[in-house]
Each structure stands twice: as structure tokens, then as C-alpha cells.
């Protein structure tokens, strides 16, 4: 009787992201951890030559390959609102089946696999009320991607996911003939909108528990840079695939310098040779 053939594990999907501007120690650490986990890393950007010169362990691609002219995306980019512009890049990459999205401030602890039996959704709870989009994947032809993309690219844009106050203001703007919102940054097109569509489509069962991607809240990000790593380690569990380091928060509280060597992030820098 012959033993059944050994089945090799499916290859890991590529990780895709967007970056623009200077590259810090944190982006280098994130890139190194992604590659060490076994993923190919693909970074999309407008500044191709500059980013390639940084020597990150990634292939660098022109973001215009996947996101052409787009009125709402172009509005955010013109206003230098890159976090909101990135929401469009993220969805464009998923619509084109390019890989799993990850912000470039995650430190991976293990490979990130999609689910079994055709479950290609990857996202996680940030808190009991909100699913975050810093790590995100859904099938390219899924209703989630189609409805989310249509909603945030429509002109004039409407915001059924927003607070009542914002919805009323946007409706009045549209009645006044304003195709584009006066304050587009208030439209909450990121995690709030994503959570709205996930709930509407009955997909919350796919969301991974908070420790998978967000073991620390943004107001705890400083714990990752402290010389005593015990408070950070207490929040990171065996369930944690990747740790969101909350770059924006660290930079806002003046912790953009390389962290203490004994800190959780400092140890990871040494581990990955960054």
C-alpha cells in the first residue's frame, strides 16, 4: 500500500503596499520582517527611482499601473492627504488581484496565509466596533470590493457609513451642486467605511480577533520602544501574526528615532539585521 503523496503547502501570496517619502528604520524593519516570513514584497509608488535607491528587499512598481486618473483619489493627493489617497491605492491593488495589502509599519512574526476552502478574506478587529484596513484582502471579484470601490469613487460621493452629522452636511453640499466635498478628510472612507460594508454583507465572521494584527492600540505604541519590553510582550500572543507599530502615533509623540536596543522593536531590528 502506497503512502499518499506529500502535499506541499501553497505558496504564500505577495504582500503589497504603497510608500511615498523618506524611508525610516521602521519601514526597513517592516519590509525585512515581511520577507523573512516568506512573502514577496511589492511596493507601489510615484517616486520609483528614489524608492529603488533605498535598497529595500522589495520590487518597486509604478502605482499608476493600477490606479489611473480618479477624481476623488486625485483630490486627496492634491491636498497631500496621503492616508486617504492610500485608501484608493489599497482597493485598486485588491481589485487587480495583486496580493494582500499591509501597511509598511507592521512587524511580521509569522507568514500571513489566506484561509482554507476558498476563504480569501483577511482583515481584523481593531476594537469591538471597528475592523481596520491596515492589513486587508478580499477576492478581487467579491461584492465587498465592488461595493466599497464604487462608493468611494462615485462623484458626487455619498457617505452612508459616516455619522449623521456628516451625512446631512454632504447631502446639503450635493443639493448645492458641490460634486466634491468641502472637507473630504471628514468622510471616513477608511476603516469606518470598510466596517460598514463588511457588516452590510454579513462578512464579520471572517474578521480575525484583535491580537492577530492589533495587539496594541495606538495609544500603547510607545510600549514597543521602551527599554523594558515586558509590557509589549504581555500584549503579543501566540495568535499574533503581525504587530502594528502605529508609525503615525510614534512620530506624533516624538519617537521617530531608532528605539532602545532592549525594547521590543529594538530587538526586532537586531533580529532582522536592520
Amino acid at each position: 500500500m502506497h503512502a499518499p503523496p506529500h502535499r506541499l503547502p501553497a505558496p504564500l501570496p505577495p504582500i503589497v503596499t504603497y510608500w511615498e517619502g523618506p524611508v525610516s528604520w521602521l519601514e526597513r524593519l517592516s519590509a525585512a520582517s515581511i520577507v523573512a516570513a516568506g512573502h514577496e514584497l511589492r511596493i507601489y509608488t510615484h517616486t520609483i527611482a528614489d524608492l529603488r535607491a533605498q535598497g529595500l528587499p522589495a520590487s518597486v512598481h509604478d502605482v499608476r499601473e493600477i490606479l489611473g486618473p480618479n477624481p476623488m483619489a486625485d483630490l486627496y493627493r492634491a491636498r497631500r492627504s496621503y492616508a486617504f489617497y492610500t485608501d484608493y491605492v489599497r482597493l485598486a491593488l485588491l481589485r487587480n488581484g495583486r496580493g494582500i495589502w499591509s501597511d509598511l509599519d507592521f512587524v511580521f512574526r509569522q507568514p500571513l496565509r489566506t484561509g482554507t476552502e476558498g476563504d480569501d478574506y483577511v482583515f481584523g478587529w481593531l476594537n469591538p466596533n471597528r475592523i481596520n484596513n491596515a492589513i486587508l484582502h478580499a477576492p478581487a471579484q467579491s461584492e465587498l470590493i465592488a461595493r466599497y470601490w464604487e462608493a468611494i469613487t462615485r462623484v458626487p460621493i455619498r457617505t452612508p457609513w459616516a455619522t449623521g452629522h456628516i451625512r446631512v452636511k454632504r447631502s446639503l453640499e450635493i443639493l448645492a451642486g458641490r460634486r466634491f466635498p468641502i472637507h473630504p478628510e471628514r468622510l471616513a472612507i477608511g476603516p469606518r467605511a470598510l466596517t460598514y460594508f463588511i457588516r452590510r454583507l454579513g462578512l464579520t465572521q471572517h474578521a480575525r480577533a484583535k491580537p492577530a494584527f492589533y495587539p496594541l492600540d495606538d495609544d500603547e505604541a510607545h510600549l514597543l520602544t521602551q527599554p523594558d519590553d515586558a509590557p509589549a510582550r504581555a500584549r503579543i500572543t501566540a495568535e499574533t501574526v503581525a504587530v502594528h507599530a502605529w508609525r503615525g502615533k510614534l512620530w506624533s509623540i516624538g519617537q521617530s528615532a531608532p528605539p532602545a536596543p532592549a525594547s521590543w522593536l529594538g530587538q526586532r531590528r537586531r533580529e532582522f539585521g536592520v
Side-chain angles (χ1 to χ4, degrees), residues 177-197:
R178 289 189 175 273
R179 298 175 68 240
F180 298 101
I182 298 173
H183 301 291
E185 290 77 15
R186 297 178 183 174
L187 299 186
I189 63 171
R192 183 187 289 271
L194 173 67
T195 305
Y196 170 84
F197 286 110

Side-chain angles (χ1 to χ4, degrees), residues 49-64:
D50 290 346
L51 192 56
R52 283 177 177 162
Q54 294 295 319
L56 292 170
S59 58
V60 178
H61 305 268
D62 190 335
V63 71
R64 288 161 291 197

Side-chain angles (χ1 to χ4, degrees), residues 7 12 36-38 61 71 87 104 117 145 161-162 182 193 205 222 248 250 257 263:
R7 182 174 296 176
L12 292 172
H61 305 268
D87 288 325
L104 207 51
E117 300 179 1
I145 296 298
W161 54 82
I182 298 173
Q205 74 274 15
H222 65 283
L250 290 179
S263 68

Side-chain angles (χ1 to χ4, degrees), residues 110-180:
Q110 54 184 286
L112 175 54
R113 299 184 183 277
T114 53
T116 58
E117 300 179 1
D119 176 7
D120 288 331
Y121 292 96
V122 181
F123 41 74
W125 291 104
L126 177 62
N127 58 47
N129 299 312
R130 188 67 50 82
I131 292 170
N132 205 14
N133 61 357
I135 281 181
L136 182 63
H137 187 262
Q141 304 303 319
S142 65
E143 190 175 1
L144 173 60
I145 296 298
R147 290 181 61 175
Y148 188 5
W149 177 259
E150 195 278 332
I152 68 171
T153 57
R154 178 191 304 160
V155 178
I157 187 172
R158 299 179 184 274
T159 56
W161 54 82
T163 62
H165 175 70
I166 295 298
R167 292 200 305 272
V168 169
K169 289 195 70 172
R170 185 63 195 128
S171 295
L172 292 174
E173 288 179 346
I174 293 171
L175 286 173
R178 289 189 175 273
R179 298 175 68 240
F180 298 101

